[in-house]
Amino acid sequence: MRQVCSLAIVILLGSSLFATVRTVSNSPSTLAQYNTIQAAIDASTSGDTVYIHGSPNVYAGFTIADKRLVILGPGWRPDKVFPHQAQINGTVAIGGTTGDPLTNPSNNTEIQGLTFLTTIQTYISHGNDHPNGLKFIRNEFSSLTLYLHETGLYKDYVFEGNTFYNSQVYFNGSGNYQSFLFQNNIFYHTGGQNIYDLTNGNNSVIFDHNLWYGPSNTPVVCFAGTCRFLIITNNIFIRRNAATNNSFSVFNNNITWNAGTNNPWEVNSNSDGGGNVVNIDPAMVDQAAVNAGTYNPLLNFTIAAGQANNSGSDGKDMGLLFDASGSLNWTNSRNSRLPRIYSMNIANPTIPVNGSLNVTVEGRKSN
């Protein structure tokens, strides 16, 4: 039964992405072309897509060198009858050999719907071989470091719909970071920072519509090292201090609650861009669980009333986005943006000679 389901997913992929698609599964019960991610990547060329099936088994890390790929998993909490994640436990490296990030063949690679358990590095060897234009969409980063800390130019990165659990993005204070967008993510940490040494000189690194929270004891910092010149809009900070180690940043339409420093826009040479709310409970539906420090990205983070409701700079709620259409809906972030087989039932598992197999398949999508 699962083999048929896998074939149906392959058909969906082939018809919707119009590219060469390679499938991977390390579970013997699921049909796929490859049983390791690396083998599928090695067989691919720029523009190809690698689909990684959810599995009860953890996958090894992988390296993408000198090719632009789309890597798709099922999501960090896939909404389906067999909700297996694609968990990666081993170093993941994305880079090239040109030495020039502007012409790196791995530029514009997209990673979507995976759960990472160990280091991610955006280079192959220490040097200026990192790619630009990477997109990390709807992934879970769990207790790891994502390294963007080579020298030189980094630009056009997107982090959208991810959950960062006890994980940090490690930058280089001497690097040049342009056009970065962190949007609609959860940043959770039990005792440390999520962003390290993000120093930028042109105010083009944006943190927009994110939820920052942690355990129910002493507030912890969001930023470490030296972080400067950030644009911070429409965020919710609960027991997360956005002022420490962060300066010359512009805040607008954010709300804090028991954050230690509840007015980060008024300290460390930061700027108040207006619309900020000081030390008010955001009143999410599952606010009690959030206030208790419960890490569960499936909690109901919607806001029905209060000062965070419809108070963003764009007229939407502060914090996570729940747009009625399009991809910016946290409810959909648990799944990859690929249509999926939700369930499949065989009505007559015993088939007479020349009989027909009756199968009911339910498909779903998450924009």
Side-chain angles (χ1 to χ4, degrees):
M1 182 177 69
R2 294 183 185 177
Q3 291 184 348
V4 177
C5 182
S6 300
L7 287 172
I9 292 175
V10 173
I11 292 170
L12 279 171
L13 280 162
S15 63
S16 62
L17 297 180
F18 302 103
T20 300
V21 177
R22 291 175 172 84
T23 58
V24 181
S25 176
N26 61 5
S27 175
S29 62
T30 302
L31 181 67
Q33 296 165 295
Y34 300 90
N35 58 21
T36 69
I37 301 171
Q38 191 62 60
I41 289 173
D42 292 344
S44 299
T45 59
S46 282
D48 287 350
T49 297
V50 175
Y51 179 79
I52 305 168
H53 286 278
S55 172
N57 306 314
V58 175
Y59 289 93
F62 55 88
T63 296
I64 300 174
D66 292 325
K67 58 184 72 175
R68 173 179 56 84
L69 300 176
V70 177
I71 310 294
L72 293 173
W76 43 260
R77 295 291 189 280
D79 179 22
K80 54 196 301 187
V81 173
F82 296 105
H84 294 305
Q85 302 165 289
Q87 295 184 312
I88 315 299
N89 190 6
T91 297
V92 172
I94 309 169
T97 57
T98 65
D100 182 357
L102 293 177
T103 60
N104 193 309
S106 298
N107 285 357
N108 303 310
T109 287
E110 180 172 332
I111 308 292
Q112 181 185 147
L114 301 180
T115 297
F116 295 98
L117 305 177
T118 53
T119 300
I120 303 173
Q121 56 192 33
T122 55
Y123 52 82
I124 301 303
S125 60
H126 285 280
N128 197 23
D129 60 358
H130 60 266
N132 281 321
L134 297 189
K135 295 178 176 61
F136 294 92
I137 297 175
R138 300 185 180 184
N139 303 286
E140 181 172 34
F141 304 97
S142 182
S143 303
L144 61 81
T145 300
L146 196 165
Y147 288 100
L148 281 71
H149 75 313
E150 296 301 297
T151 58
L153 175 67
Y154 285 83
K155 65 180 299 187
D156 300 327
Y157 275 60
V158 175
F159 295 84
E160 178 186 294
N162 305 288
T163 176
F164 294 83
Y165 173 78
N166 280 349
S167 295
Q168 68 172 356
V169 186
Y170 193 104
F171 294 86
N172 185 328
S174 299
N176 183 7
Y177 301 94
Q178 299 180 12
S179 300
F180 270 60
L181 177 62
F182 292 83
Q183 185 176 52
N184 213 38
N185 303 285
I186 288 178
F187 293 98
Y188 182 96
H189 214 295
T190 57
Q193 71 286 335
N194 291 110
I195 305 297
Y196 186 87
D197 234 10
L198 178 49
T199 301
N200 181 271
N202 59 8
N203 290 108
S204 64
V205 176
I206 301 173
F207 290 86
D208 179 64
H209 280 290
N210 303 289
L211 169 62
W212 307 70
Y213 79 108
S216 58
N217 46 23
T218 303
V220 298
V221 299
C222 301
F223 305 99
T226 301
C227 295
R228 296 185 297 176
F229 304 111
L230 310 177
I231 298 176
I232 301 174
T233 65
N234 306 312
N235 295 268
I236 294 176
F237 297 95
I238 300 174
R239 292 182 305 279
R240 299 302 307 277
N241 188 332
T244 302
N245 306 309
N246 179 23
S247 59
F248 300 101
S249 294
V250 179
F251 289 77
N252 64 277
N253 298 81
N254 303 279
I255 186 170
T256 61
W257 176 236
N258 294 328
T261 300
N262 285 301
N263 56 342
W265 42 85
E266 295 179 358
V267 300
N268 291 351
S269 300
N270 292 316
S271 299
D272 184 352
N276 296 298
V277 179
V278 178
N279 203 29
I280 297 292
D281 190 324
M284 291 175 276
V285 172
D286 282 341
Q287 188 70 50
V290 173
N291 288 345
T294 303
Y295 174 74
N296 181 358
L298 297 181
L299 292 173
N300 189 339
F301 300 107
T302 58
I303 296 171
Q307 293 200 40
N309 181 241
N310 298 327
S311 299
S313 60
D314 49 10
K316 301 177 183 179
D317 295 344
M318 296 178 182
L320 298 174
L321 290 162
F322 291 89
D323 290 358
S325 61
S327 63
L328 292 175
N329 187 322
W330 184 257
T331 302
N332 293 330
S333 293
R334 62 187 296 185
N335 304 294
S336 92
R337 293 191 296 190
L338 184 74
R340 65 194 182 279
I341 301 296
Y342 175 77
S343 66
M344 185 177 70
N345 295 308
I346 298 176
N348 57 331
T350 301
I351 308 170
V353 176
N354 298 322
S356 298
L357 177 67
N358 297 319
V359 180
T360 302
V361 177
E362 180 182 350
R364 294 184 181 181
K365 68 175 184 176
S366 297
N367 292 332

